[in-house]
Structures are given as structure tokens and as C-alpha cells.
Amino acid sequence: ILRTPEVRDIDALWAIMNRPAVQWGTGRMPRTPRSWVEARVPVTDPNVHSVVADRGDGIAIGWATIVRGTDRRAHVGELSITVHDAFHGQGIGTAMMTSLTDLADSWLGLRRLTLNVNPDNTRAIALYRRFGFEDEGRLRGDLLRDGVLIDTLIMGRLRPAPEMAR
């Protein structure tokens, strides 16, 4: 079930953010504080659009967000997505990506979506490519993970402007 994040999701989302596989795949430090999640749920910024994946019993197992740019970047959205590692490979990322790309295309009229990903996160990269994201650049030695510098892959997806109704 995909739905809007609620205050009741904070514990589950905080737990997801602190899973070892999630920490490995992000630029976040280990032991993400609960206050970091509390500051993002519930969403109060009109330029932030989030969805959680609920396994059907009210427990969040995934979290994805588009942050819309402002001013001259109002046509751009930055996407982030996290799935609890016990639920990888079950279509949850695909469902959240479907929801957010539809929101970006059909409701927000965004022309560009961007995201950053570790180049060794091959499953995530495959998901993003299925949704039209392409490699746009690489930030060499951008992240320190387990004492080793790794790159960050920048990916983007461009769309034409929405059509006018006739």
C-alpha cells in the first residue's frame, strides 16, 4: 500500500534509515538520529512530496521523496528512495518510483528529475534506468564509506513540457 507518511511511521522509518544495507547505500552517517526523521514527517513543505510503502499492516517498509526546486529550478525535482533491506527485490521500489514519476509528470509538470547513487548499488541503478534515468556524471571520491573513498553517480531524467489541452 502506498500512502502519505504519517507521524505513526516515524519509528519504522527511523529503523529503516539505520539498517546496515540502507546506510551502505546512502551518503548518510551511521546511526541517523530520530530527530532527522521527525523533521521530515509529516511533510509540511509544499515542495516536498513523499510516499511510504506500507506492508498492509500499517508498518512502513519504504520511503521515497521528490523535492521540487524553486525559482528558476521549479521544473526540477530531486528524488530519493529507501526500501527496508528485508524487502529488497519485491517490487516496492518499482511501486514507489511509478507513483513518484507519475506525480512528477502528470501533476507537478516537472521536466527534470535527478538523483545520486553509489555506483556499486547496481540494483538501484537498474531500477532508475527502467524509469528513464541516465548517467550524467560522476563525483570522484565523493563519499567516505568504511574508510574508502567512493564515487557518487549522478543520474537524471528529462521529459518534454506537458502538452496543452485542445
Side-chain angles (χ1 to χ4, degrees):
I1 300 168
L2 299 181
R3 58 177 175 76
T4 302
E6 300 173 7
V7 171
R8 67 183 168 115
D9 297 316
I10 290 173
D11 286 337
L13 296 175
W14 180 49
I16 291 168
M17 296 306 296
N18 283 292
R19 299 286 299 179
V22 171
Q23 290 291 316
W24 174 88
T26 70
R28 301 214 33 83
M29 295 294 286
R31 295 173 299 283
T32 298
R34 181 184 166 87
S35 60
W36 186 88
V37 177
E38 290 171 340
R40 289 157 176 79
V41 176
V43 176
T44 58
D45 185 330
N47 290 317
V48 177
H49 305 274
S50 292
V51 63
V52 295
D54 176 327
R55 64 184 184 186
D57 59 0
I59 304 297
I61 55 174
W63 187 15
T65 301
I66 291 177
V67 178
R68 184 182 193 152
T70 59
D71 299 326
R72 291 172 40 188
R73 297 194 80 239
H75 65 288
V76 178
E78 181 150 347
L79 191 139
S80 62
I81 183 170
T82 304
V83 176
H84 189 296
D85 53 318
F87 297 92
H88 286 181
Q90 297 181 29
I92 295 159
T94 298
M96 290 192 299
M97 287 290 291
T98 299
S99 176
L100 288 183
T101 54
D102 177 63
L103 178 71
D105 296 345
S106 301
W107 298 95
L108 299 175
L110 298 180
R111 299 199 54 202
R112 175 173 169 71
L113 291 177
T114 65
L115 58 84
N116 294 343
V117 61
N118 297 344
D120 54 0
N121 194 346
T122 55
R123 290 175 74 157
I125 292 168
L127 172 67
Y128 304 145
R129 287 187 175 140
R130 283 197 316 270
F131 282 87
F133 284 83
E134 299 177 10
D135 299 6
E136 293 189 332
R138 185 178 289 258
L139 302 172
R140 297 180 316 171
D142 186 49
L143 295 176
L144 183 64
R145 182 177 68 196
D146 291 333
V148 177
L149 288 172
I150 64 167
D151 296 349
T152 295
L153 180 61
I154 301 165
M155 298 184 78
R157 172 183 173 268
L158 295 172
R159 290 290 207 225
E163 294 183 25
M164 280 293 282
R166 294 180 191 239

